[in-house]
Amino acid sequence: MDWQKLCLVVIFVSLACQPFFVRAGDIVHDDDSAPKKPGCENDFVLVKVQTWVNGIEDEEFVGVGARFGTTIVSKEKNANQISLTLSDPRDCCSAPKTKLTGNVIIVDRGHCKFTTKANNAETAGASALLIINNQKELYKMVCEPDETDLDIRIPAIMLPQDAGTSLERMLMNHSSVKVQLYSPRRPLVDIAEVFLWLMAVGTILCASFWSASSAREAVIEQEKLLKDADDIPDGKAQGGSGIVDINTTSAVLFVVIASCFLIMLYKLMSYWFVELLVVLFCIGGVEGLQTCLVAVLLRWFKRTGESYIKVPFFGAVSYLTLAVAPFCIAFAVVWAVYRTDSYAWIGQDVLGIALIITVLQIVRVPNLKVGTVLLSCAFLYDIFWVFISKKLFNESVMIVVARGDRSGEDGIPMLLKIPRMFDPWGGYSIIGFGDILLPGLVVTFSLRYDFLANKSLRSGYFLWAMLAYGMGLLVTYVALNLMDGHGQPALLYIVPFILGALITLAKKRGDLKVLWTQGEPARPCPHVHLRQSTE
C-alpha cells in the first residue's frame, strides 16, 4: 500500500474545506434590505442569558440583540436578576392579558412584526423580551422598511429554539425562575489568534527548511554520481524519491476536484460521514507523524533507520519505523476516541501539522508559473465557495461543511484549532489545512531555489515569501475582527501578498524568467567538466 498516495488523498479532503473563522454562536439572515434608521440602529450583539432556578444558578443560553430597543449592559455585575414569565398569548401579537410588573417575558416568534411584540410587551410592563426562534439558529431581528419613529425602550433578544424549550421546561417544573441579561464585549485580539498565527507560520517554516535541505542533499548526491559515472544518468536524482511535481494541468484540475468533493461533503454531511473523515484523517496523521518522528530520530539512530525488514503488505520497512509506528497509531486512536473533550484540539493540531509537513515534502511546485496557477485557482475557489455560493445554496457551503452543521458533531477534523482563551464567548480560532498547505508549496519552492542558488536570506526569496505569508495571515485576522467573526477565506488575502512579493522582487532582480520556467538555477555539469579537463 502506497502510504504517500493515501496521504495525498487525505489532503485533498482537507483542501475542500479551508475557511478561516471563529465560532461563537451562529447568526443568520442578511438585513441589507433593512438598513439602520432612528429607533432601529443598534449593532447586533450576542447576549448571555444566565438562569437561576429557585435561587440556584442553572443553564446559560446565548441570544442575539435586536436592531431596536435599548442596549444591554456589558458587565455581569451591572445586570440584575429578573423574574421570567411566559407570555399570554404566546406570540404576544396582541396585548398580554396580565400586567408583567418588570418581568422578562418569553414570546414565540409567531407571524406578527418583532416591533409589534416589543411594543405590546412594553405596554404590559415587561422589562425585557425574549423571542424564541422556530429554528435552531439565531436570527437578526430588524425593523420593517416602512416602520418609522420607533421608540421601544426595552431590550429584545432572539434565542434559538432549543433554548426556548429549556426555559419553558424550567417554568413548568419550578416555581421561581430568574434570568440575568448581559452582553460582554469580545477582546480585540485573543491570544489564541497569536498562537494560531505562529503555528501556521512555524509549520511552513519547518517544512520549507526540511524540503530545501532534502533538495540540496539530492543535488550533492547527484553530483557525486555524475563524477563517478561513465555515463550521465537519465532523469533527475529526485525522480525516484517519491516526490510528486505539480504541473499546470493538475493545478487547474484541483479546482474541479476540490469543488466536486466540497459539494459531496455538503450534500452527504452526516454523523457517519464525519466518522469516515476522522478515520481518513487518523490514517494520514499517523503517516505524517511517523514520517516526522523518523526524520528527527534518524540523527541519533541512523543505523536502525537504515536497517530494513520485509513486512507483509507493507514491503521493506526500517526498524526505526517499526519502533515508532505503535506510538503514532496509539496517539491517533486516543485522539479519535476523546476528540470531543476540551483538550482534544492539541492532538488534532499535532496530527494535522505532521500531515501538512509530510505532504510539503512529497508534493512540490517545480517553478513559479505552476505556483502562480495553483494559488490563483485556489484564490478563486476560496472566494466562490465562501461568498458566491450563498447565492446558489442560500448559505456559505464551505463554512457549513467546516462547521459540520448537519453532522451532529463539532465540524470536520481537517483544521488546526485553538480555543479562544480570554473570549467570554468561548469558541475556537481555526484555520483550514489548505490555507497553510497551498501557500506553503510556493514558500518551500522559494527556499529550495535559494538553497540551490546559494543565496543568503536577504538576497534570496524565501524571507520575503515568508513575510508575505505572515502579513497575509495577519490581514486575515484584521478582516475577521472587522467582520465580527464571520467566515473569511484566508487565501483572499494571502495569495496577493505572496505572488505580488515574489513576482515583483524577481522581476526587479532579473530572475523572473528562471523562476517562472526553470524553477532552479543553472548548474554546470561536473561530468562534462571532467571530460573537458582530460582532453
Side-chain angles (χ1 to χ4, degrees):
M1 188 175 194
D2 192 338
W3 286 102
Q4 290 181 342
K5 290 183 179 179
L6 178 59
C7 188
L8 292 177
V9 172
V10 175
I11 206 62
F12 259 116
V13 175
S14 72
L15 290 178
C17 307
Q18 40 185 314
F20 184 90
F21 68 103
V22 178
R23 295 198 66 184
D26 305 329
I27 304 176
V28 299
H29 173 59
D30 248 339
D31 64 315
D32 295 337
S33 60
K36 293 182 179 181
K37 61 180 71 175
C40 191
E41 53 189 356
N42 295 341
D43 292 328
F44 292 111
V45 294
L46 292 172
V47 180
K48 290 194 175 187
V49 181
Q50 180 63 58
T51 62
W52 277 264
V53 177
N54 293 330
I56 301 174
E57 189 171 350
D58 207 286
E59 289 185 75
E60 180 182 88
F61 306 100
V62 175
V64 60
R67 183 77 91 189
F68 53 85
T70 56
T71 56
I72 300 165
V73 297
S74 60
K75 295 183 179 180
E76 183 179 5
K77 64 181 181 181
N78 295 333
N80 298 321
Q81 294 183 25
I82 307 172
S83 296
L84 183 68
T85 186
L86 287 171
S87 173
D88 184 19
R90 291 296 301 271
D91 58 8
C92 203
C93 288
S94 58
K97 297 177 180 178
T98 57
K99 291 292 181 181
L100 301 175
T101 61
N103 291 349
V104 175
I105 184 174
I106 297 180
V107 174
D108 290 341
R109 181 167 174 177
H111 301 287
C112 61
K113 298 177 182 179
F114 294 123
T115 51
T116 300
K117 299 175 187 290
N119 281 321
N120 290 334
E122 184 179 2
T123 302
S127 61
L129 182 68
L130 300 182
I131 300 179
I132 308 302
N133 196 13
N134 52 15
Q135 297 177 5
K136 292 182 179 180
E137 295 87 3
L138 296 175
Y139 189 94
K140 294 179 179 178
M141 295 185 290
V142 299
C143 305
E144 298 295 330
D146 58 344
E147 291 184 288
T148 58
D149 299 326
L150 292 168
D151 187 25
I152 299 172
R153 299 183 180 181
I154 62 172
I157 298 100
M158 171 70 73
L159 289 174
Q161 188 178 43
D162 54 352
T165 303
S166 298
L167 288 172
E168 186 174 347
R169 187 185 307 115
M170 290 179 186
L171 289 170
M172 295 298 181
N173 297 336
H174 303 87
S175 56
S176 174
V177 177
K178 292 187 177 183
V179 294
Q180 188 181 37
L181 311 177
Y182 62 103
S183 178
R185 294 172 183 170
R186 173 173 284 131
L188 185 61
V189 178
D190 191 270
I191 194 172
E193 295 173 351
V194 177
F195 280 127
L196 194 63
W197 186 90
L198 291 172
M199 189 184 298
V201 171
T203 298
I204 293 181
L205 197 66
C206 292
S208 297
F209 276 98
W210 186 5
S211 178
S213 178
S214 299
R216 174 181 280 181
E217 290 175 2
V219 169
I220 293 173
E221 186 66 26
Q222 183 185 33
E223 291 178 350
K224 287 182 180 179
L225 290 173
L226 289 171
K227 288 179 181 179
D228 298 336
D230 292 329
D231 298 312
I232 299 175
D234 294 329
K236 293 184 179 180
Q238 298 106 305
S241 60
I243 301 301
V244 178
D245 279 338
I246 299 175
N247 55 35
T248 52
T249 303
S250 58
V252 174
L253 282 176
F254 155 75
V255 176
V256 179
I257 295 173
S259 296
C260 292
F261 206 94
L262 184 64
I263 293 174
M264 185 176 71
L265 286 172
Y266 178 72
K267 295 295 184 181
L268 299 179
M269 183 61 67
S270 60
Y271 174 80
W272 69 267
F273 201 81
V274 171
E275 294 294 314
L276 177 61
L277 294 180
V278 168
V279 172
L280 291 176
F281 174 73
C282 286
I283 294 173
V286 167
E287 174 62 15
L289 186 59
Q290 178 179 279
T291 302
C292 293
L293 288 177
V294 168
V296 172
L297 295 175
L298 199 59
R299 296 176 177 272
W300 297 281
F301 304 97
K302 190 171 184 180
R303 181 177 296 179
T304 308
E306 294 177 349
S307 301
Y308 293 86
I309 185 175
K310 283 191 175 182
V311 178
F313 188 68
F314 292 97
V317 179
S318 70
Y319 286 100
L320 184 58
T321 301
L322 285 178
V324 169
F327 168 77
C328 298
I329 294 171
F331 188 92
V333 170
V334 170
W335 171 81
V337 172
Y338 296 100
R339 68 182 184 277
T340 57
D341 288 2
S342 59
Y343 293 97
W345 61 272
I346 299 174
Q348 180 171 326
D349 289 351
V350 170
L351 293 173
I353 290 172
L355 177 57
I356 292 172
I357 291 176
T358 301
V359 170
L360 287 175
Q361 309 312 306
I362 299 171
V363 184
R364 291 186 180 179
V365 170
N367 52 49
L368 187 56
K369 176 184 176 181
V370 174
T372 301
V373 172
L374 178 66
L375 288 187
S376 298
C377 290
F379 175 82
L380 297 174
Y381 165 84
D382 235 10
I383 292 174
F384 180 85
W385 289 111
V386 172
F387 295 130
I388 302 178
S389 63
K390 290 181 180 180
K391 297 181 180 180
L392 301 176
F393 298 90
N394 296 320
E395 56 188 351
S396 176
V397 172
M398 189 179 287
I399 292 179
V400 168
V401 170
R403 288 189 313 217
D405 286 355
R406 300 185 180 93
S407 67
E409 292 199 358
D410 192 22
I412 63 172
M414 285 73 175
L415 303 163
L416 299 186
K417 57 194 292 188
I418 297 181
R420 295 178 62 85
M421 303 172 191
F422 299 105
D423 191 333
W425 298 104
Y428 291 88
S429 289
I430 70 175
I431 185 171
F433 283 1
D435 296 328
I436 303 174
L437 177 67
L438 293 178
L441 289 171
V442 177
V443 175
T444 54
F445 157 74
S446 68
L447 186 59
R448 285 199 306 273
Y449 178 86
D450 289 351
F451 266 39
L452 296 177
N454 293 320
K455 289 182 177 291
S456 64
L457 281 178
R458 186 175 179 181
S459 63
Y461 294 93
F462 170 72
L463 176 63
W464 305 104
M466 200 72 240
L467 288 173
Y469 177 77
M471 284 299 298
L473 198 56
L474 186 62
V475 171
T476 306
Y477 280 116
V478 174
L480 191 67
N481 285 298
L482 291 177
M483 297 297 178
D484 196 26
H486 287 251
Q488 292 296 303
L491 295 182
L492 172 64
Y493 310 97
I494 294 173
V495 169
F497 271 92
I498 291 182
L499 294 184
L502 287 179
I503 293 174
T504 302
L505 194 60
K507 187 174 181 179
K508 183 179 179 181
R509 293 175 174 177
D511 296 332
L512 184 57
K513 185 176 180 180
V514 176
L515 282 167
W516 189 261
T517 56
Q518 299 176 19
E520 61 181 43
R523 300 189 306 274
C525 180
H527 189 81
V528 175
H529 176 73
L530 285 174
R531 281 189 171 181
Q532 290 175 345
S533 65
T534 57
E535 293 178 352

